[in-house]
Amino acid sequence: MSLKQQIISGFFWTYLQQFSSQIINFSISLVLARLLLPEDFGTMGLIYIFITIGHVLIDGGLSLSLIRNLDTDDEDFSTVFYANIGVSVLVYSLVFIAAPFIADFYKLEILTNIIRVFAVTFIISAFSSVQSAFLSKNMQFKTQMMIAIPSIIASGIVGITLAFFNFGVWSLVWASITQNGIGTLQLWFYNNWRPKRVFNKIKFLKHLHFGYKLIITGIFDAVFVNIYPIFIGKTFSIKQVGFYTQAEGLKQLPVSNVGGALSKVTLPLFSKIQNDSQKLKEAYDRITQLVLFVITPILIFMSVLANPLLLFLYSAKWVAAAPYLKILCFAGILPTINGYNINILNAKGKSNYILKIEILNKIFLVLMILFFYRYGIYALVWTKLLSSIFSYLLNSYYCGKELNYSLFDQIMNITPVLLLSFLSGFVVQTIYVTLNSSQIPLLLKLLIPCFIGIIFYCSLIFIFKRKLIEELKWILNTKFQHGK
């Protein structure tokens, strides 16, 4: 199979996994949102930072090092595997001890037991990270899809059953543990790789040399991705955390389906052509434009239709999340590109750039939060948009240095798609306002503006950016002709 066919095949299976996973997760979340309270989701939102940091410390960027290095062997994989197991036990012990102090910080006693139970996923994930890296390195994304779907379905059954019997927030805890556990078991069943009884200190230090910067980067990212739930929970209320996390999850649905799938494929892809800057530039340019072509209008349409969308999907008790969703959708557009910038730098081995980018991004975000939070919770959330713009400019600048692709040229290449999407969003908003006073069902008030908006957007793209449609058709044709 040629490299192009590998790319398309990898994207197809990864996208199918992402799409199927998100649809199933989304369906599960619809049921759980009606069975549980915003406070239940808010409670889980408070602990995600500690769980995420734990997973970062366990993996330590070592799996990424395995994927990007061209000369890895069984000794490399075994060494990283045993390192992950050892660190997972240590991290779990530390979190177990820290749990009461975290609960005291939020004045929420139940957090102690929730954190101690949920943190079991550290040890479970330590058994799966190298297996997953092995599949990703060999671009076996079809196998990963076959593993992901049953895990999500099983976790959904557990979560919904427990929620139905009034287990509250524990429904979400045990659902996550179930997904991790079943996913790990399947990885060992489908993948033939097994660790050897060897730990090579030199190889460990080699991967750690690349990975330690990613550990620091990952911790920074974990803290600041979750800084809003932490700040909202401490300064405002747990209920507001629930509204925020639910809006964030809904916004992530299209972002994960398209941007997340491609991001997973692009690291091994970029690594294969890491020594050819021209090919890297062409691949990066194609991918970013295609992703924005698909994601931007979806996010803008979701933003302008936030109120009726939440009312239709989650019921009236979640409509208060609409202001968050409006802001987060706009803030979610540019970060879809940042993942590809980081993958370019990872493929080039520029983890020092990644660390520098993360530090500068987080300094900017902290300054924005400290300045704006005094003006209320919505002003606080608007800082996410400001930081996403700053982050895009910074990421694109450093990525452009490696590709000889100026920041100005990158901005000019994505501007037409952004403008056409915003214009289409204005049309959707106008139609919805017109229909809102009528007596037609709520579903039609959503579908009619979206349908007209899609027709309008596709017409503009066909007139001004026809190459994007041709590119998308080429990808689909290539997949169905050669990629299966």
Side-chain angles (χ1 to χ4, degrees), residues 111-129:
L111 282 182
T112 299
N113 290 331
I114 289 176
I115 292 170
R116 286 175 170 175
V117 174
F118 200 102
V120 171
T121 58
F122 294 159
I123 297 174
I124 297 173
S125 296
F127 281 89
S128 66
S129 59

Side-chain angles (χ1 to χ4, degrees), residues 25-39:
N25 269 324
F26 180 60
S27 302
I28 293 168
S29 74
L30 290 180
V31 180
L32 289 175
R34 292 173 180 269
L35 292 173
L36 301 175
L37 299 172
E39 289 86 343

Side-chain angles (χ1 to χ4, degrees), residues 46 101-108 227-238 240-241 380:
L46 297 177
F101 301 99
I102 298 170
D104 185 61
F105 174 78
Y106 288 113
K107 308 299 181 186
L108 196 62
I227 194 169
Y228 289 93
I230 293 173
F231 211 94
I232 293 170
K234 186 64 178 175
T235 309
F236 299 98
S237 71
I238 295 175
Q240 295 301 323
V241 176
L380 174 66

Side-chain angles (χ1 to χ4, degrees), residues 208-412:
L208 184 62
H209 179 71
F210 174 83
Y212 86 90
K213 297 166 189 172
L214 297 180
I215 296 176
I216 301 172
T217 299
I219 292 173
F220 268 118
D221 196 47
V223 170
F224 288 95
V225 164
N226 293 282
I227 194 169
Y228 289 93
I230 293 173
F231 211 94
I232 293 170
K234 186 64 178 175
T235 309
F236 299 98
S237 71
I238 295 175
K239 188 174 184 177
Q240 295 301 323
V241 176
F243 290 140
Y244 174 87
T245 55
Q246 198 72 351
E248 175 69 18
L250 185 56
K251 181 267 291 183
Q252 279 298 117
L253 186 65
V255 173
S256 298
N257 274 327
V258 181
L262 267 176
S263 182
K264 190 175 182 181
V265 174
T266 52
L267 179 57
L269 159 65
F270 291 160
S271 296
K272 285 175 184 271
I273 55 176
Q274 59 185 274
N275 296 320
D276 190 331
S277 294
Q278 184 58 35
K279 281 187 177 180
L280 269 177
K281 177 181 176 181
E282 291 173 0
Y284 167 78
D285 195 39
R286 277 180 162 183
I287 288 169
T288 52
Q289 289 207 48
L290 278 171
V291 168
L292 286 178
F293 163 58
V294 176
I295 285 183
T296 307
I298 295 175
L299 289 177
I300 292 174
F301 292 2
M302 286 175 62
S303 179
V304 299
L305 297 173
N307 284 71
L309 185 61
L310 287 165
L311 179 61
F312 177 76
L313 293 176
Y314 296 125
S315 77
K317 67 181 176 182
W318 288 99
V319 172
Y324 299 112
L325 183 59
K326 289 176 181 290
I327 301 168
L328 292 173
C329 284
F330 283 108
I333 296 172
L334 292 177
T336 57
I337 300 177
N338 291 343
Y340 311 123
N341 291 328
I342 296 301
N343 280 347
I344 290 285
L345 297 176
N346 273 324
K348 286 283 192 176
K350 299 293 184 179
S351 54
N352 57 321
Y353 279 178
I354 298 173
L355 178 58
K356 184 185 297 185
I357 288 169
E358 287 300 313
I359 292 173
L360 292 174
N361 278 333
K362 303 327 175 192
I363 290 174
F364 180 84
L365 179 58
V366 168
L367 292 175
M368 291 295 98
I369 289 175
L370 292 176
F371 179 79
F372 281 100
Y373 88 93
R374 69 193 72 180
Y375 298 106
I377 193 167
Y378 299 130
L380 174 66
V381 180
W382 272 112
T383 63
K384 194 147 190 174
L385 175 61
L386 296 177
S387 73
S388 74
I389 296 171
F390 178 82
S391 180
Y392 165 74
L393 296 174
L394 196 62
N395 279 275
S396 297
Y397 169 76
Y398 279 101
C399 178
K401 287 180 65 174
E402 293 300 309
L403 300 179
N404 193 27
Y405 194 8
S406 73
L407 177 59
F408 178 80
D409 287 339
Q410 292 179 63
I411 293 173
M412 287 298 100

Side-chain angles (χ1 to χ4, degrees), residues 460-471:
L460 291 178
I461 290 292
F462 187 80
I463 295 171
F464 297 105
K465 295 286 290 183
R466 186 181 303 183
K467 186 178 178 181
L468 286 175
I469 296 178
E470 294 171 354
E471 187 79 11

Side-chain angles (χ1 to χ4, degrees), residues 43-69:
T43 300
M44 289 299 293
L46 297 177
I47 71 168
Y48 283 144
I49 179 174
F50 308 105
I51 301 302
T52 306
I53 289 175
H55 284 292
V56 169
L57 290 172
I58 291 165
D59 183 67
L62 304 184
S63 294
L64 279 176
S65 182
L66 290 174
I67 294 172
R68 71 165 297 276
N69 273 282

Side-chain angles (χ1 to χ4, degrees), residues 391-447:
S391 180
Y392 165 74
L393 296 174
L394 196 62
N395 279 275
S396 297
Y397 169 76
Y398 279 101
C399 178
K401 287 180 65 174
E402 293 300 309
L403 300 179
N404 193 27
Y405 194 8
S406 73
L407 177 59
F408 178 80
D409 287 339
Q410 292 179 63
I411 293 173
M412 287 298 100
N413 282 336
I414 67 171
T415 296
V417 173
L418 296 178
L419 290 177
L420 297 180
S421 298
F422 278 103
L423 182 58
S424 302
F426 176 76
V427 170
V428 170
Q429 172 71 15
T430 302
I431 295 170
Y432 172 71
V433 170
T434 303
L435 293 174
N436 193 36
S437 58
S438 67
Q439 298 301 313
I440 65 174
L442 179 61
L443 179 59
L444 290 179
K445 292 180 181 179
L446 286 167
L447 292 180

Side-chain angles (χ1 to χ4, degrees), residues 468-484:
L468 286 175
I469 296 178
E470 294 171 354
E471 187 79 11
L472 188 60
K473 287 169 61 179
W474 176 84
I475 287 176
L476 294 173
N477 288 335
T478 302
K479 172 59 206 166
F480 287 112
Q481 291 174 11
H482 306 290
K484 292 183 180 179

